[in-house]
Amino acid sequence: MRILFCSDALIVDGVTSFVLHLAVTLRKGGHRVAVLGRWAGKGFQSRLREHGVEIIQCLSPTVGNAWFDRKAAAFAPEVIVTDSRRSFPLAVRLKRVTGAKVFTFFLDHLEKTDRKGRDVPSLIAGSDAWLSAEPPILERLEEIPTPFPKFLLRRPLVHMVTPTPLRAREPFRVLCFGRLSGYKSAGPWALMNDALALKKEIPSLQLVFVGGGWRSALFRFAAFRANLDAGERFIRVAGTQTDPNPWFEEATLVCAGSTSAVEAALAFRPVVVFTGFWIGLLTPEKLDAAFASYFGERSGTISVRQHPELLSAEIRKVYGEWEQGRMEEMVRIVRQQVMPSFDDASTVEEFERICRIVTDGAGASGSMAS
């Protein structure tokens, strides 16, 4: 099968990482896969190519690009996969050019989607199926009548992450993984401002901030000042990184949200989750709440923007209560419980099943969650 992904973003984020994970999995499953994007600069292109995914790339200010039309027509996809936000208008245009079915993925709730050209009527008119990787989002989608089916297709992550043995507490290497922009950086910014105090309490502390975003320059300047005051370089701001595995391997503790939190757990690392609505160490007892809110990305009881200081407090608590054997057992259980929801063993088979249902016209409405 020929499968074309639309990737409109110029940045490394949750949408483009989803494209990477699913595209690579389908390519490994024997399908011909291409990703078409209005890209520039550093992204996931090199990792996609490493796994045999074709790249169709052009910097274009609009989706109305005749070069894209020609390239998509030459690829002749049977299915176009798009997200419900930035890439959807491009996918609709290419559907008219190629006649392919459009599978629209929802990685956010509808309130983030509802804009001209990707409002609900447009998403219905331009799609042949709706999919989501998260049950809470799929439940919301099921409330909307559509002439086509809706499906659950989990994000395939397990085989994209390499687990390594848990490190000892010392040196205490804390990795903050996530974009340094918007509300997501409230916790990391508070941690940066508290870094010198933390260093005095934890002499072996090393902090690494991985992720791009418009606040990166502020983080670099703050790191420079803190390192100067400490007399050593204990803080690094590494910027955008497309492969998390080397960074997880060096970390003792990972602070991350949403997909990065899942990746860290699969990498066999303790995870302090920090997203828009949740700060805390991920434990087996908290997993139900984590999955219900996508690790605090969708909803929760705490606004991180109002209480960003809780991230430093949680790091102090983890360090103070660290017992190697107990930590290894907790991390093992968390990883074991997370794995089934992100295993890619059945992803290709499930995607093929969805294609058959959509192509045959079976299940014209309603959910096909599995």
Side-chain angles (χ1 to χ4, degrees), residues 3 10-11 13 19 29 51 87 105 119 135-136 154 170 185 196 203 246 286 296 324 335 355 363 369:
I3 305 166
L10 306 180
I11 57 176
D13 64 358
V19 171
H51 293 281
S87 301
F105 258 97
D119 53 283
R154 293 287 197 178
E170 308 291 350
S185 64
L196 283 173
K286 296 177 182 177
Q324 192 71 17
R335 184 176 187 273
C355 289

Side-chain angles (χ1 to χ4, degrees), residues 63-295:
V63 298
N65 184 317
W67 187 84
F68 279 154
D69 296 348
R70 291 196 300 272
K71 290 294 183 178
F75 183 75
E78 297 160 78
V79 174
I80 295 173
V81 181
T82 177
D83 70 277
S84 61
R85 296 175 64 189
R86 291 187 300 261
S87 301
F88 184 76
L90 175 59
V92 171
R93 178 186 175 95
L94 297 183
K95 177 181 182 178
R96 292 195 292 267
V97 172
T98 65
K101 301 290 186 182
V102 169
F103 289 2
T104 303
F105 258 97
F106 289 77
L107 299 171
D108 288 298
H109 285 307
L110 280 169
E111 50 264 29
K112 283 193 173 184
T113 296
D114 198 7
R115 296 184 183 180
K116 184 179 179 181
R118 60 195 200 208
D119 53 283
V120 172
S122 298
L123 289 166
I124 293 174
S127 302
D128 295 283
W130 281 358
L131 304 90
S132 182
E134 302 173 44
I137 292 180
L138 186 62
E139 290 172 6
R140 294 275 299 275
L141 297 178
E142 288 173 346
E143 299 172 0
I144 302 173
T146 60
F148 47 74
K150 309 175 184 74
F151 303 89
L152 178 70
L153 187 68
R154 293 287 197 178
R155 182 188 288 257
L157 272 177
V158 171
H159 292 97
M160 299 292 288
V161 178
T162 304
T164 55
L166 181 65
R167 290 185 171 274
R169 188 182 71 164
E170 308 291 350
F172 197 59
R173 297 168 175 164
V174 178
L175 170 66
C176 278
F177 208 102
R179 285 171 57 199
L180 303 178
S181 59
Y183 76 92
K184 293 184 178 182
S185 64
W189 184 242
L191 178 59
M192 175 69 81
N193 290 327
D194 196 32
L196 283 173
L198 268 177
K199 181 67 172 174
K200 291 178 181 178
E201 299 173 39
I202 308 173
S204 67
L205 177 68
Q206 298 174 20
L207 286 175
V208 179
F209 294 86
V210 168
W214 63 269
R215 300 189 77 182
S216 297
L218 297 176
F219 275 78
R220 292 183 189 280
F221 181 70
F224 172 79
R225 292 186 59 180
N227 288 333
L228 194 64
D229 290 343
E232 64 174 289
R233 191 186 181 204
F234 75 102
I235 305 176
R236 292 178 60 197
V237 181
T240 299
Q241 303 294 323
T242 58
D243 185 357
N245 286 299
W247 301 94
F248 290 147
E249 184 176 357
E250 293 297 318
T252 308
L253 174 70
V254 179
C255 300
S258 53
T259 302
S260 297
V262 177
E263 290 176 314
L266 293 172
F268 202 72
R269 289 296 178 269
V271 187
V272 171
V273 177
F274 72 95
T275 45
F277 301 98
W278 191 15
I279 289 179
L281 182 67
L282 185 62
T283 63
E285 297 76 21
K286 296 177 182 177
L287 278 175
D288 286 344
F291 281 115
S293 64
Y294 196 44
F295 296 81

